Amino acid sequence: MKKRWLFARLGTAGALVAAAGVMVLAPPAQSIEASLSAQNSPVWQTNASVQGITVAAGKAYVGGRFTSVRPPGSPLGTNEVGQAYLAAFDATTGDLVASFNPVLDGQVYAVAASADGSRVFIGGDFTNVNGVTRNRVAAFDTATGALVPNWKPSVSYRVKSIAVSGDTVYFGGSFGLVNGIDRLRLAAVTADLGTLLPWAPSTNGDVYAVDVADDGSKAYAGGQFSTVNGTNQNTVTSLDPVTGAVLPFAGASAVPPPNGSCTTRVKSIDASGDTVYFGNGGDGGGCFDGTWAVDIATNTLKWKNQCLGATEAVKMVNGWLYKASHAHDCAYNGAGAFPQGFGYRFLLAENPADGKIGPWFPNTNAGPPTEVGPLALATGGSDLWVGGDFTTTNGAGQQGLTRFTNAGPGAAPAKPAKLLPSSVKAGEVQIHFPTVVDNDDSTLTYRLLKGFSNTTIATWTATSTPWDKPWLHYTDTDVTPGEVTNYRVEVTDGTTTIRGNYSDPLTVASATSTAYDEIIKSDGPQAYWRLGEASGTTTSTDSSGQSNNGTYSGMTLGSSGKVSGNTAATTSSSNGRMAGEKAYSMPQQFTVEAWFKQSFLRGGRIVGFGNSKTGNSSSTDRMLYLRSNGQVTFGVNDGSQRTINSTSNKNNSAWHHAVGTYDNGVMKLYVDGVLAGSQTVGQASLYYGWWRVGYDTTNSWSGGGATQTGMVIDEAAVYPYALTAGQVLNHYNAG
């Protein structure tokens, strides 16, 4: 992942210029960048799990462990309509189809429809439907809602998955017999009369998922097995759809073999076009939980996405692969998205060409009994029905069932922040602000508006996600010293436009400011801790305007500061520190800055990033620290601990200014306004963490672990981009 510093400046020629002389542009904004809106559409709810869904004949058929349903917006226990284990809802309105009211004596796990939509097949634990025997499978006529009287295979135990291909119904589960004949967890019957077919592959463990290629050339099964027809098949197999013979399947190499700490199983399969997609769930730390895709004709692996958090279901809809999971680490092994600690994303879209996470960010929660969230996905062609164990969708009450359509306008962009423009040079205004998120369009257009006339003075197109919101920057030189003006930002996804609040009125400078804090704030810090609170204070105030206050621990306040009129903080213990309250996802573009002084032979960490807000971090980098020989070190972990060192003797009880910058692989260290060194490295370590001032773990780093006690730190700041050499020198001179 790469973050961008987008810097716009409109001069007399109206030129748009980016940092480092490179313009970074994204595609034009569009209201729904994925194929579905992230805004859920109204649909009735269930009082417990939904485990299987299909859409046919204008209705969504939903099976599970629920015993009643209720309208959207109704809390649990209100407006309940008794309907156990199987229900139907209008595919357009989401309303309950009251005329479809079958009576079952056990839960439903699988629901599938014939290609023409005339029949719906269900599987589960039931043995009786509408007062007649139906052992674990049954069929309904979608035109009348009636149980099909002459379709009644008898299955000995649970049916977990069903797939229909032409005139054949394939199913898998935990059973051993069908119609009293051996069928070890996989079987097939005719779609018209339910006649048992000779297709009889046998597995040594339960089958969780079955599907058939669109052209009927191959069948696939996945589950808790290691052999099929006596041959080794690790959790997944490709089968001849007529004979049941095991077919070559090189793409299955995507699934790691079980070991003592990890067993991963295929839980979902969706064959679509020329590709078959799989979703896995593992039972150990770091165990494969992701998705993978295989070319049906060649059996070759196309891609593998290794997000952690078991994938329960996958479904192709309008050119995107949607997945239901409890993903919690999609930075793992190059998965390309958010890191551990960011939170759970129970619904995601992936690009079917490469498996990368797409621009679709609705969410549910996880509810009982599984506490994993969504479990089942289905589509009628241009929508997505989601069922599972959840009680909210997009933060509002919606239990068990939700749906998404491609109806516009889709989700709206979030409201831009109120701007904090600054003017510290005559005839110049600096403006810095973070981008926002639109849950179904990661590419948005931003316009900077000036004055109450809302005159557009700059335009950007930028890409953002919930975990990666780059900042935009602009210098307005079309102003007059002494002029009073204001600014605001508007953002659009191509359909919906949202405007932020006006900034407070700003008087354009008539002379260059020498006030240190004003100079720092004019360069747009993401956090700026002046560390000048009175003794006894426990909270460090963030002066950047970004509300990232911090908490002191083991620090003495009130020490003489570097900047006149402000005091500093001293690490009065070996682990004295201050940690900001806001967390960030693996910054790939940043600056860390602070003034410090320390006595001879002592050192310590000055400022940096760590994955613990309160204790000692197990992952820590993006930091400035002082060695016992007085060298200042800037460290970034790109898989190896990369460091740049200054000259020694900076622990001479005098104030020194240290700045570390990192811009997508280029790291630089400045000490006392001068570049001490630079190098090109890899991507900075992918973890979720907090910016911290003072102590954190450095013992494993070269020259780390020096005695921290007694270090005085002042004017610590973090920026969401790399400061230039000129900005660094300006800060040093101002101090």
Side-chain angles (χ1 to χ4, degrees), residues 629-721:
N629 67 356
Q631 287 181 306
V632 177
T633 297
F634 177 42
V636 172
N637 190 336
D638 68 351
S640 298
Q641 294 176 343
R642 310 294 186 179
T643 58
I644 302 173
N645 302 315
S646 74
T647 57
S648 58
N649 300 320
K650 301 300 185 289
N651 52 356
N652 58 355
S653 299
W655 283 108
H656 295 281
H657 182 240
V659 177
T661 71
Y662 178 88
D663 186 353
N664 294 311
V666 178
M667 57 185 295
K668 298 179 180 180
L669 171 65
Y670 300 84
V671 177
D672 294 336
V674 177
L675 180 66
S678 66
Q679 62 175 313
T680 299
V681 299
Q683 185 180 49
S685 189
L686 304 178
Y687 64 94
Y688 185 75
W690 291 260
W691 293 110
R692 299 166 47 133
V693 175
Y695 179 80
D696 205 349
T697 308
T698 60
N699 290 350
S700 67
W701 287 76
S702 174
T707 301
Q708 179 93 37
T709 306
M711 176 179 280
V712 187
I713 307 173
D714 200 8
E715 307 289 345
V718 178
Y719 305 79
Y721 66 98

Side-chain angles (χ1 to χ4, degrees), residues 549-570:
N549 293 339
T551 301
Y552 289 111
S553 174
M555 299 190 83
T556 298
L557 302 178
S559 304
S560 177
K562 177 63 178 72
V563 176
S564 178
N566 189 54
T567 57
T570 301

Side-chain angles (χ1 to χ4, degrees), residues 93-112:
T93 66
D95 292 337
L96 175 69
V97 178
S99 60
F100 183 73
N101 51 7
V103 178
L104 288 79
D105 67 347
Q107 62 182 297
V108 172
Y109 278 91
V111 189

